[in-house]
């Protein structure tokens, strides 16, 4: 925009012969890329930071952990998936370290085993892991492959409440 203004000024000053010159400078609005190119929006943003509110249809181990103010890690996976197997292995390694955290694993294709959890927390793209802190607040949801170090930090975070 600065170059356009300078060019307009130069044209106005550089004109001779006493003729009056009118110069119009306009700006072009920035181009906004289509929504699909603006970057991904966190599909779980509305639910992260909200309390997990178990019902009578919530699996007993999750309901009990929330009521006892224990942190919970809920993993949804597809049997036979490479990323799923790596995620479950990493979580099981951490489970041996963090005995004060409730770890639960649900086969995505067996919804009867996880009751109303897919309603309380939308289960979208396995492997999906949901981290609930000691206050019963959903702190993080991951989908796809995540390394053990990242999981470790997320477990540490939910243990602190």
């Amino acid at each position: 925009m600065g170059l356009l203004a300078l060019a307009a000024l130069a044209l106005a000053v550089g004109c001779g012969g006493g003729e009056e010159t009118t110069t119009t400078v306009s700006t072009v609005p920035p181009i906004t890329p289509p929504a699909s190119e603006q970057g991904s929006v966190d599909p779980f943003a509305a639910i992260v930071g909200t309390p997990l509110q178990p019902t009578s249809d919530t699996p007993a181990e999750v309901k009990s952990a929330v009521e006892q103010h224990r942190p919970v890690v809920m993993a949804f996976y597809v049997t036979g998936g490479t990323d799923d197997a790596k995620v479950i292995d990493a979580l099981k390694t951490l489970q041996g370290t963090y005995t004060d955290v409730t770890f639960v694993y649900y086969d995505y294709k067996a919804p009867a085993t996880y009751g109303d959890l897919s309603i309380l927390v939308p289960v979208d793209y396995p492997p999906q892991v949901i981290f609930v802190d000691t206050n019963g607040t959903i702190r993080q949801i991951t989908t796809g492959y995540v390394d053990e170090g990242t999981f470790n930090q997320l477990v540490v975070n939910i243990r602190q409440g």
Side-chain angles (χ1 to χ4, degrees):
M1 185 167 107
L3 289 176
L4 287 175
L6 287 175
L9 180 63
L11 284 175
V13 172
C15 293
E19 298 175 11
E20 189 173 315
T21 304
T22 303
T23 305
T24 304
V25 178
S26 63
T27 60
V28 178
I31 298 172
T32 304
S36 63
E37 296 176 19
Q38 290 182 10
S40 61
V41 176
D42 182 359
F44 304 111
I47 197 162
V48 170
T50 65
L52 178 66
Q53 298 176 341
T55 70
S56 60
D57 294 328
T58 304
E61 62 269 18
V62 173
K63 186 174 182 177
S64 175
V66 171
E67 290 171 351
Q68 295 173 21
H69 300 283
R70 287 177 54 95
V72 183
V73 176
M74 296 179 281
F76 296 86
Y77 64 92
V78 175
T79 302
T82 302
D83 286 347
D84 301 74
K86 289 179 182 178
V87 163
I88 297 304
D89 288 346
L91 291 173
K92 286 189 175 184
T93 298
L94 294 173
Q95 184 174 0
T97 303
Y98 298 106
T99 57
D100 61 321
V101 177
T102 298
F103 287 80
V104 293
Y105 306 92
Y106 301 109
D107 185 335
Y108 180 75
K109 293 182 180 180
T113 63
Y114 50 88
D116 66 350
L117 288 175
S118 64
I119 296 167
L120 298 175
V121 182
V123 178
D124 187 31
Y125 182 79
Q128 181 171 322
V129 183
I130 301 158
F131 297 84
V132 180
D133 70 14
T134 57
N135 297 315
T137 303
I138 300 164
R139 287 291 164 209
Q140 184 72 39
I141 300 173
T142 65
T143 59
Y145 173 76
V146 176
D147 65 89
E148 185 178 326
T150 301
F151 281 145
N152 185 65
Q153 186 59 57
L154 294 173
V155 171
V156 167
N157 294 348
I158 62 172
R159 291 175 72 226
Q160 297 171 358

